[in-house]
Amino acid sequence: MRALLFIVPLALTIYAFIDCLNTSEEDTKHLPKIAWVFIILLFWIVGPVVWLVAGKARRNAATGTGPSSWQRGRRQQWVAPDDNPDFLKSLKDDKEARKAEAESRKAEKAEDEEELKRRNGGGPDDKTPPTS
């Protein structure tokens, strides 16, 4: 039990310290971020509690009904792939890329065959003399 009296405040201090370090400067309230770090580390039990209560701007913490910043930029409802214009555009782009790649492979193959004919002296229906 005595160890618990040491471990719980230590864990609270570590949590508050890491939370303070991960919080942006704009989200800290009342004091600069560096001041909060010193308060958390110097005032062992009181500092972390004060940080968790008053040091960080918490948005929608009371109600929890508003969308987070991550959700605001996203669509709010699911859209089937065949109705999603971004997905359809990506399919079209992929198809065009595959078509262009196939055409370039055909052109490379034709060039390789021409080079091979020139090196080997041509085929049976070739009328040009071999070059050395």
Coordinates of all heavy atoms in Angstrom, one line a residue, residues 22-90:
N22 N 3.1 17.2 -25.5 CA 2.4 17.0 -26.8 C 1.3 18.0 -27.2 O 0.8 18.0 -28.3 CB 1.7 15.6 -26.7 CG 2.8 14.5 -26.8 OD1 3.8 14.6 -27.4 ND2 2.4 13.3 -26.2
T23 N 1.0 18.9 -26.2 CA 0.0 19.9 -26.5 C 0.7 21.1 -27.2 O 1.8 21.5 -26.9 CB -0.6 20.4 -25.2 OG1 -1.2 19.3 -24.5 CG2 -1.6 21.5 -25.4
S24 N 0.0 21.6 -28.2 CA 0.6 22.8 -29.0 C 0.6 24.0 -28.1 O -0.2 24.1 -27.2 CB -0.1 23.0 -30.3 OG -1.5 23.4 -30.0
E25 N 1.4 25.0 -28.5 CA 1.5 26.2 -27.7 C 0.1 27.0 -27.7 O -0.2 27.6 -26.8 CB 2.6 27.1 -28.3 CG 2.9 28.3 -27.5 CD 3.7 28.0 -26.2 OE1 4.5 27.1 -26.2 OE2 3.3 28.6 -25.1
E26 N -0.6 26.8 -28.8 CA -1.9 27.5 -29.0 C -3.0 27.0 -28.0 O -3.9 27.6 -27.7 CB -2.4 27.5 -30.4 CG -1.5 28.2 -31.4 CD -0.4 27.3 -31.9 OE1 -0.6 26.1 -32.1 OE2 0.7 27.9 -32.1
D27 N -2.8 25.7 -27.7 CA -3.8 25.0 -26.9 C -3.6 25.2 -25.4 O -4.4 24.7 -24.6 CB -3.9 23.5 -27.2 CG -4.6 23.3 -28.6 OD1 -5.3 24.2 -29.0 OD2 -4.4 22.2 -29.2
T28 N -2.4 25.7 -25.0 CA -2.2 25.9 -23.5 C -2.9 27.2 -23.1 O -2.9 28.2 -23.8 CB -0.7 26.0 -23.2 OG1 -0.1 27.1 -24.0 CG2 0.0 24.7 -23.6
K29 N -3.4 27.1 -21.9 CA -4.2 28.3 -21.3 C -3.4 28.9 -20.2 O -2.7 28.2 -19.5 CB -5.6 27.8 -20.8 CG -6.5 27.4 -21.9 CD -7.9 27.1 -21.5 CE -8.2 26.7 -20.1 NZ -9.5 26.3 -19.9
H30 N -3.6 30.2 -20.0 CA -3.2 31.0 -18.8 C -1.7 31.2 -18.7 O -1.2 32.3 -18.3 CB -3.6 30.3 -17.5 CG -5.1 30.1 -17.5 ND1 -6.0 31.1 -17.5 CD2 -5.8 28.9 -17.4 CE1 -7.2 30.6 -17.4 NE2 -7.1 29.3 -17.4
L31 N -0.8 30.2 -19.1 CA 0.6 30.4 -19.0 C 1.3 29.8 -20.2 O 0.7 29.0 -20.9 CB 1.2 29.6 -17.7 CG 0.7 30.1 -16.4 CD1 1.2 29.2 -15.3 CD2 1.3 31.5 -16.1
P32 N 2.6 30.2 -20.5 CA 3.3 29.6 -21.6 C 3.5 28.1 -21.3 O 3.5 27.7 -20.1 CB 4.6 30.4 -21.6 CG 4.4 31.6 -20.8 CD 3.3 31.3 -19.9
K33 N 3.8 27.4 -22.3 CA 4.0 25.9 -22.2 C 5.2 25.6 -21.3 O 5.1 24.7 -20.5 CB 4.2 25.3 -23.6 CG 4.2 23.9 -23.6 CD 4.3 23.4 -25.1 CE 4.4 22.0 -25.2 NZ 4.5 21.6 -26.7
I34 N 6.2 26.3 -21.4 CA 7.4 26.0 -20.6 C 7.1 26.2 -19.1 O 7.6 25.5 -18.2 CB 8.6 26.9 -21.0 CG1 9.9 26.4 -20.4 CG2 8.4 28.3 -20.8 CD1 10.4 25.1 -20.9
A35 N 6.3 27.2 -18.8 CA 5.9 27.4 -17.4 C 5.1 26.2 -16.9 O 5.3 25.8 -15.7 CB 5.1 28.7 -17.2
W36 N 4.2 25.7 -17.7 CA 3.4 24.5 -17.3 C 4.3 23.3 -17.0 O 4.1 22.6 -16.1 CB 2.4 24.2 -18.3 CG 1.2 25.1 -18.2 CD1 0.7 26.0 -19.1 CD2 0.2 25.1 -17.1 NE1 -0.4 26.6 -18.7 CE2 -0.8 26.1 -17.5 CE3 0.1 24.4 -15.9 CZ2 -1.8 26.4 -16.6 CZ3 -0.9 24.7 -15.1 CH2 -1.9 25.7 -15.4
V37 N 5.4 23.2 -17.8 CA 6.3 22.1 -17.6 C 7.0 22.2 -16.3 O 7.1 21.2 -15.5 CB 7.3 22.0 -18.8 CG1 8.5 21.0 -18.5 CG2 6.7 21.6 -20.1
F38 N 7.4 23.4 -15.9 CA 8.1 23.6 -14.6 C 7.1 23.4 -13.5 O 7.4 22.8 -12.5 CB 8.7 25.0 -14.5 CG 10.0 25.1 -15.3 CD1 10.1 26.0 -16.3 CD2 11.1 24.2 -15.0 CE1 11.3 26.1 -17.0 CE2 12.2 24.3 -15.7 CZ 12.4 25.3 -16.7
I39 N 5.8 23.8 -13.6 CA 4.9 23.6 -12.6 C 4.6 22.2 -12.4 O 4.5 21.7 -11.2 CB 3.5 24.4 -12.9 CG1 3.8 25.9 -12.8 CG2 2.4 23.9 -12.1 CD1 2.6 26.8 -13.3
I40 N 4.4 21.4 -13.5 CA 4.2 20.0 -13.3 C 5.3 19.3 -12.7 O 5.1 18.4 -11.8 CB 3.9 19.4 -14.7 CG1 2.6 19.9 -15.3 CG2 3.9 17.9 -14.7 CD1 2.4 19.6 -16.8
L41 N 6.6 19.6 -13.0 CA 7.7 18.9 -12.4 C 8.1 19.4 -11.0 O 8.5 18.6 -10.2 CB 8.9 19.1 -13.3 CG 8.8 18.4 -14.7 CD1 10.0 18.7 -15.6 CD2 8.6 16.9 -14.6
L42 N 7.8 20.7 -10.7 CA 8.2 21.2 -9.4 C 7.2 20.9 -8.3 O 7.5 20.5 -7.2 CB 8.5 22.7 -9.4 CG 9.8 23.1 -10.2 CD1 9.9 24.6 -10.3 CD2 11.0 22.5 -9.6
F43 N 5.9 21.1 -8.6 CA 4.8 20.8 -7.7 C 4.2 19.4 -8.0 O 3.3 19.3 -8.7 CB 3.8 21.9 -7.8 CG 4.4 23.3 -7.5 CD1 4.6 24.1 -8.6 CD2 4.7 23.7 -6.3 CE1 5.2 25.4 -8.4 CE2 5.3 24.9 -6.0 CZ 5.5 25.8 -7.1
W44 N 4.8 18.4 -7.3 CA 4.7 17.1 -7.7 C 3.2 16.6 -7.8 O 2.9 16.0 -8.8 CB 5.5 16.2 -6.7 CG 5.8 14.9 -7.1 CD1 6.4 14.5 -8.3 CD2 5.5 13.7 -6.5 NE1 6.5 13.2 -8.4 CE2 6.0 12.6 -7.3 CE3 4.9 13.3 -5.3 CZ2 5.9 11.3 -6.9 CZ3 4.8 12.0 -4.9 CH2 5.3 11.0 -5.7
I45 N 2.4 16.8 -6.9 CA 1.0 16.3 -6.9 C 0.1 17.4 -7.4 O -0.8 17.2 -8.3 CB 0.6 15.8 -5.5 CG1 1.4 14.6 -5.1 CG2 -0.9 15.5 -5.5 CD1 1.2 14.1 -3.7
V46 N 0.2 18.6 -7.0 CA -0.6 19.7 -7.3 C -0.4 20.2 -8.8 O -1.4 20.4 -9.5 CB -0.4 20.9 -6.4 CG1 -1.3 22.1 -6.8 CG2 -0.7 20.5 -4.9
G47 N 0.8 20.2 -9.3 CA 1.1 20.6 -10.6 C 0.4 19.8 -11.7 O -0.3 20.4 -12.6
P48 N 0.4 18.5 -11.7 CA -0.3 17.7 -12.7 C -1.8 17.9 -12.6 O -2.5 17.9 -13.7 CB 0.1 16.3 -12.4 CG 1.4 16.4 -11.7 CD 1.4 17.7 -10.9
V49 N -2.3 18.0 -11.4 CA -3.8 18.2 -11.3 C -4.2 19.5 -11.9 O -5.2 19.6 -12.6 CB -4.2 18.0 -9.8 CG1 -5.7 18.4 -9.6 CG2 -4.0 16.6 -9.3
V50 N -3.4 20.6 -11.6 CA -3.8 21.9 -12.1 C -3.7 21.9 -13.6 O -4.5 22.5 -14.3 CB -2.9 23.0 -11.4 CG1 -3.0 24.3 -12.1 CG2 -3.2 23.1 -10.0
W51 N -2.6 21.2 -14.1 CA -2.5 21.1 -15.6 C -3.7 20.5 -16.2 O -4.3 20.9 -17.2 CB -1.2 20.4 -16.0 CG -1.3 19.9 -17.4 CD1 -1.5 18.7 -17.9 CD2 -1.1 20.8 -18.6 NE1 -1.5 18.7 -19.3 CE2 -1.3 19.9 -19.7 CE3 -0.9 22.1 -18.8 CZ2 -1.2 20.4 -21.0 CZ3 -0.9 22.6 -20.1 CH2 -1.0 21.7 -21.2
L52 N -4.1 19.4 -15.7 CA -5.3 18.6 -16.2 C -6.6 19.4 -16.1 O -7.4 19.2 -17.0 CB -5.4 17.2 -15.6 CG -4.2 16.3 -15.9 CD1 -4.3 15.0 -15.0 CD2 -4.1 16.0 -17.3
V53 N -6.7 20.2 -15.1 CA -8.0 20.9 -14.9 C -8.0 22.2 -15.6 O -8.9 22.6 -16.3 CB -8.2 21.2 -13.4 CG1 -9.4 22.1 -13.1 CG2 -8.4 19.9 -12.6
A54 N -6.9 23.0 -15.6 CA -6.9 24.4 -16.1 C -5.9 24.7 -17.2 O -5.9 25.7 -17.8 CB -6.7 25.4 -15.0
G55 N -4.9 23.8 -17.4 CA -3.8 24.2 -18.3 C -4.0 24.0 -19.8 O -3.4 24.6 -20.6
K56 N -5.0 23.2 -20.2 CA -5.1 22.8 -21.6 C -6.5 23.2 -22.0 O -7.5 22.9 -21.4 CB -4.9 21.3 -21.7 CG -5.0 20.8 -23.1 CD -4.7 19.3 -23.1 CE -4.7 18.7 -24.5 NZ -4.4 17.3 -24.5
A57 N -6.6 23.8 -23.2 CA -7.9 24.1 -23.8 C -8.5 22.8 -24.3 O -8.0 22.1 -25.2 CB -7.7 25.1 -25.0
R58 N -9.6 22.5 -23.7 CA -10.3 21.3 -24.1 C -11.6 21.6 -24.9 O -12.4 22.3 -24.4 CB -10.7 20.4 -22.9 CG -9.4 20.2 -22.1 CD -9.6 19.0 -21.2 NE -8.5 18.9 -20.2 CZ -7.3 18.4 -20.5 NH1 -7.1 17.9 -21.7 NH2 -6.4 18.3 -19.6
R59 N -11.7 21.2 -26.1 CA -12.8 21.5 -27.0 C -13.8 20.4 -26.9 O -13.5 19.2 -27.1 CB -12.3 21.7 -28.4 CG -11.4 22.9 -28.5 CD -11.0 23.2 -29.9 NE -10.0 24.2 -30.0 CZ -8.7 24.0 -30.2 NH1 -8.3 22.8 -30.5 NH2 -7.8 25.0 -30.2
N60 N -15.1 20.8 -26.7 CA -16.2 19.9 -26.7 C -16.1 18.8 -25.7 O -16.5 17.7 -25.8 CB -16.4 19.2 -28.1 CG -16.8 20.3 -29.1 OD1 -17.5 21.2 -28.8 ND2 -16.4 20.1 -30.3
A61 N -15.3 19.0 -24.6 CA -15.1 18.0 -23.6 C -16.4 17.8 -22.7 O -16.7 16.7 -22.3 CB -14.0 18.4 -22.7
A62 N -17.2 18.9 -22.5 CA -18.4 18.7 -21.7 C -19.5 18.0 -22.4 O -20.1 17.1 -21.8 CB -18.9 20.1 -21.3
T63 N -19.7 18.2 -23.6 CA -20.9 17.6 -24.3 C -20.4 16.4 -25.1 O -21.1 15.4 -25.2 CB -21.6 18.6 -25.2 OG1 -20.7 19.1 -26.2 CG2 -22.2 19.7 -24.4
G64 N -19.3 16.5 -25.8 CA -18.8 15.5 -26.7 C -19.7 15.3 -27.9 O -19.6 14.3 -28.6
T65 N -20.5 16.3 -28.2 CA -21.4 16.1 -29.4 C -20.8 16.7 -30.7 O -21.2 16.3 -31.7 CB -22.7 16.8 -29.1 OG1 -22.5 18.2 -28.9 CG2 -23.4 16.2 -28.0
G66 N -19.9 17.6 -30.6 CA -19.4 18.3 -31.8 C -18.4 17.4 -32.5 O -17.7 16.6 -31.9
P67 N -18.2 17.6 -33.8 CA -17.2 16.8 -34.5 C -15.8 17.3 -34.2 O -15.5 18.4 -33.9 CB -17.5 17.0 -36.0 CG -18.2 18.3 -36.0 CD -18.9 18.4 -34.7
S68 N -14.9 16.3 -34.1 CA -13.5 16.7 -33.9 C -12.9 17.3 -35.1 O -13.5 17.3 -36.2 CB -12.7 15.5 -33.5 OG -12.6 14.6 -34.6
S69 N -11.7 17.9 -35.0 CA -11.1 18.5 -36.2 C -10.8 17.5 -37.2 O -10.8 17.8 -38.4 CB -9.8 19.2 -35.8 OG -8.9 18.3 -35.2
W70 N -10.5 16.2 -36.8 CA -10.3 15.2 -37.8 C -11.5 14.8 -38.6 O -11.4 14.6 -39.8 CB -9.8 13.9 -37.1 CG -9.5 12.8 -38.0 CD1 -8.4 12.6 -38.8 CD2 -10.3 11.6 -38.2 NE1 -8.4 11.5 -39.4 CE2 -9.6 10.8 -39.1 CE3 -11.5 11.2 -37.7 CZ2 -10.1 9.6 -39.5 CZ3 -12.0 10.0 -38.1 CH2 -11.3 9.2 -39.0
Q71 N -12.7 14.9 -37.9 CA -13.9 14.5 -38.6 C -14.5 15.6 -39.4 O -15.2 15.4 -40.4 CB -15.0 14.1 -37.6 CG -14.7 12.8 -36.9 CD -15.6 12.5 -35.8 OE1 -16.1 13.4 -35.1 NE2 -15.9 11.3 -35.5
R72 N -14.1 16.9 -39.1 CA -14.7 18.0 -39.9 C -14.3 18.0 -41.3 O -15.1 18.4 -42.2 CB -14.3 19.3 -39.2 CG -15.2 19.7 -38.1 CD -14.8 21.1 -37.6 NE -14.7 21.0 -36.2 CZ -13.6 21.3 -35.5 NH1 -12.6 21.8 -36.1 NH2 -13.5 21.1 -34.2
G73 N -13.1 17.6 -41.7 CA -12.7 17.6 -43.0 C -13.2 16.4 -43.8 O -13.0 16.3 -45.0
R74 N -13.8 15.4 -43.2 CA -14.2 14.2 -43.9 C -15.7 14.2 -44.2 O -16.4 15.0 -43.6 CB -13.9 13.0 -43.0 CG -12.4 12.9 -42.7 CD -12.1 11.6 -42.0 NE -12.3 10.5 -42.9 CZ -12.8 9.4 -42.5 NH1 -13.0 9.2 -41.2 NH2 -13.0 8.4 -43.3
R75 N -16.1 13.3 -45.1 CA -17.5 13.2 -45.3 C -18.2 12.6 -44.1 O -17.7 11.8 -43.4 CB -17.8 12.2 -46.5 CG -17.3 12.8 -47.8 CD -17.5 11.8 -48.9 NE -17.0 12.3 -50.1 CZ -17.7 12.4 -51.2 NH1 -19.0 12.0 -51.2 NH2 -17.2 12.8 -52.3
Q76 N -19.4 13.1 -43.9 CA -20.2 12.6 -42.7 C -20.9 11.3 -42.9 O -21.3 10.7 -41.9 CB -21.1 13.7 -42.2 CG -20.4 15.0 -41.7 CD -19.5 14.7 -40.5 OE1 -19.9 13.9 -39.7 NE2 -18.3 15.3 -40.5
Q77 N -21.1 10.9 -44.1 CA -21.8 9.7 -44.3 C -21.1 8.8 -45.4 O -20.3 9.4 -46.2 CB -23.3 9.9 -44.8 CG -23.5 10.3 -46.2 CD -24.9 10.6 -46.5 OE1 -25.6 11.3 -45.7 NE2 -25.4 10.1 -47.6
W78 N -21.3 7.6 -45.3 CA -20.6 6.6 -46.2 C -21.2 6.8 -47.6 O -22.4 6.9 -47.9 CB -20.8 5.2 -45.7 CG -20.1 4.2 -46.5 CD1 -18.8 3.9 -46.4 CD2 -20.7 3.4 -47.5 NE1 -18.5 2.9 -47.3 CE2 -19.6 2.5 -48.0 CE3 -21.9 3.2 -48.1 CZ2 -19.8 1.6 -49.0 CZ3 -22.1 2.3 -49.1 CH2 -21.0 1.5 -49.5
V79 N -20.3 6.7 -48.6 CA -20.7 6.8 -50.0 C -20.2 5.5 -50.7 O -19.0 5.1 -50.6 CB -20.1 8.0 -50.7 CG1 -20.4 8.1 -52.2 CG2 -20.5 9.3 -50.0
A80 N -21.0 4.9 -51.5 CA -20.7 3.7 -52.2 C -19.6 4.0 -53.3 O -19.6 5.1 -53.8 CB -21.9 3.1 -52.9
P81 N -18.7 3.1 -53.6 CA -17.6 3.4 -54.5 C -18.1 3.8 -55.9 O -17.5 4.7 -56.5 CB -16.8 2.1 -54.6 CG -17.1 1.4 -53.3 CD -18.5 1.8 -52.9
D82 N -19.2 3.3 -56.3 CA -19.6 3.6 -57.7 C -20.3 5.0 -57.7 O -20.6 5.5 -58.8 CB -20.5 2.6 -58.3 CG -21.7 2.3 -57.4 OD1 -21.7 2.6 -56.2 OD2 -22.7 1.6 -57.9
D83 N -20.6 5.6 -56.5 CA -21.1 6.9 -56.5 C -20.1 8.0 -56.1 O -20.4 9.2 -56.1 CB -22.3 7.0 -55.4 CG -23.5 6.2 -55.9 OD1 -23.6 6.0 -57.1 OD2 -24.3 5.7 -55.0
N84 N -18.9 7.5 -55.7 CA -17.9 8.4 -55.2 C -17.1 8.9 -56.4 O -16.4 8.2 -57.1 CB -17.0 7.7 -54.3 CG -16.0 8.6 -53.6 OD1 -15.7 9.7 -54.0 ND2 -15.4 8.1 -52.5
P85 N -17.2 10.2 -56.7 CA -16.5 10.8 -57.9 C -14.9 10.7 -57.8 O -14.2 10.5 -58.8 CB -16.9 12.2 -58.0 CG -17.5 12.5 -56.7 CD -17.9 11.3 -56.0
D86 N -14.4 10.8 -56.6 CA -12.9 10.6 -56.4 C -12.5 9.2 -56.7 O -11.5 9.0 -57.4 CB -12.5 11.0 -55.0 CG -12.8 12.4 -54.6 OD1 -12.8 13.2 -55.5 OD2 -13.1 12.7 -53.4
F87 N -13.2 8.2 -56.3 CA -12.9 6.8 -56.6 C -13.0 6.6 -58.1 O -12.1 5.9 -58.7 CB -13.8 5.9 -55.8 CG -13.6 4.4 -56.1 CD1 -12.4 3.8 -55.6 CD2 -14.4 3.7 -56.9 CE1 -12.2 2.5 -55.9 CE2 -14.2 2.4 -57.1 CZ -13.1 1.8 -56.6
L88 N -14.1 7.1 -58.7 CA -14.2 6.9 -60.2 C -13.1 7.5 -61.0 O -12.6 7.0 -61.9 CB -15.6 7.4 -60.6 CG -16.8 6.6 -60.0 CD1 -18.1 7.3 -60.4 CD2 -16.8 5.2 -60.5
K89 N -12.7 8.7 -60.5 CA -11.6 9.4 -61.2 C -10.3 8.6 -61.0 O -9.5 8.5 -62.0 CB -11.4 10.8 -60.6 CG -10.4 11.6 -61.3 CD -10.3 13.0 -60.7 CE -9.3 13.9 -61.3 NZ -7.9 13.4 -61.4
S90 N -10.1 8.1 -59.8 CA -8.9 7.3 -59.7 C -8.9 6.0 -60.6 O -7.8 5.6 -61.1 CB -8.7 6.9 -58.2 OG -9.6 5.9 -57.8

